[in-house]
Amino acid sequence: MADRGRELTMGFLSGRHVLVAGAGVTGRSAAEALLAADAVVTVTDGSADNLAALEQLLPGVTLVPGLVAPPPGTDLVVTSPGWRPSSPLLVAAAAAGVEVIGEVELAWRMGMELADPPTWLAVTGTNGKTTTVGMLESILRAAGLDAVACGNVGLPVVDALLAGRRVLAVELSSFQLHWSPSVRPFAGVLLNLAEDHLDWHGTFEAYAAAKAGVLTGEVGIGGVDDPVVARLLARSSARAHIGFTLGSPEEGQLGVHDGQLVDRAFGASDTVLLPADDVRPGGPPGIADALAAAALARAHGVPASAVARGLREFRPGAHRAVLVATAGGVSYVNDSKATNPHAAAASLRSHERVVWVAGGLLKGASVDELVRSEGHRLRGAVVIGADREVIASALARHAPSVPVAVLDDASDAAMENAVRAARSMAQDGDAVVLAPAAASMDMFSDYAHRGQAFTEAVLKLTG
């Protein structure tokens, strides 16, 4: 890291006054990278605890709590991704003519200063980002490449840059893409699109436009079974347009034929990658993610043998369609990562008969299409959280025969009560599935906390 830091000190940031908005994980990494590049760094945050932690970690930064305007002389603002454009500090910066970018954009610009910048392979979409980028990292490492998954998956991109990694498998959220106007990954994939984060972006069109930012490099890849993605891919500025599909692929696509993942885009002839049954997680969502990861890797020149080995070695993360227990003929599945209706629909579609545990913060998204399309498989539903009545109303409109338990409960026992209610509805052969279709912050610290609460409740009630 020190060698890469010295290489960066002669760059465009040297001596510039930069304000970092946010002292969380992303803000800390951005501040460290800026210091390595010899910038003059100020950090602001509404949390005194975050600033105090940063003071211990990074002596040399100026810490100012609760700024609502950039200090005089500020040349650049680097914002944490969750800060909305309407935040007073960012509005004031724009009014003063101070550029606002995100940590991902900072990493991109710093990387472009290097004599030999790393290769970016980027992943975005409403659902499947983390699984796809994990698959991609596994494939790249199977090929012997110095690669790391970074970005929205947990490791800030600037940390991967300073560590000198050669290939970056970058998961990008719509927030990060909004604040990254010049990022042009060598290859980028847009997995799918459905309503999400409309409370942040304002409209679906703005959300989709942010997501389409990954389709601006040499190779643009899209899930063409999604008509919105197919349209954005066709209109994108990428030099090469590659599709992936769960059907049999056309020329220039990857897909599934005779039970095999097949590449008809890279190479002189059709290339069989591996049997679809070897992909984990299984089912249509997992296979789609594997095709996307394979397309990115193949765009970078990875051989088919390494794609197969990497996909076979990949293990899904926690809280993603995890079977917790089977008791009394009923299976209990933790898919807490299904934080929007599109993801929840895919989760429910994996089971014939379901007792659905749902609810939380919908973030402006509608669940009507989810209930219309998947209501026929519901044995019952248990709804919790801030937007429980919205989900209950959709069930009443589109699946009126489905029994629904609406729990007005925010206590520590809320999830246990939800699982108990779900168990009372379930019959032999059913699945009780936590697929919330919503964010978790109304009742839990994050989706992992919610998934853990479900897991503990299931194990307690089933023994």
Side-chain angles (χ1 to χ4, degrees), residues 284-300:
I287 293 170
D289 295 343
L291 288 166
L296 286 168
R298 296 286 283 162
H300 189 54

Side-chain angles (χ1 to χ4, degrees), residues 120-135:
W120 287 49
L121 305 175
V123 177
T124 197
T126 302
N127 298 301
K129 296 185 294 297
T130 300
T131 298
T132 302
V133 83
M135 288 175 166

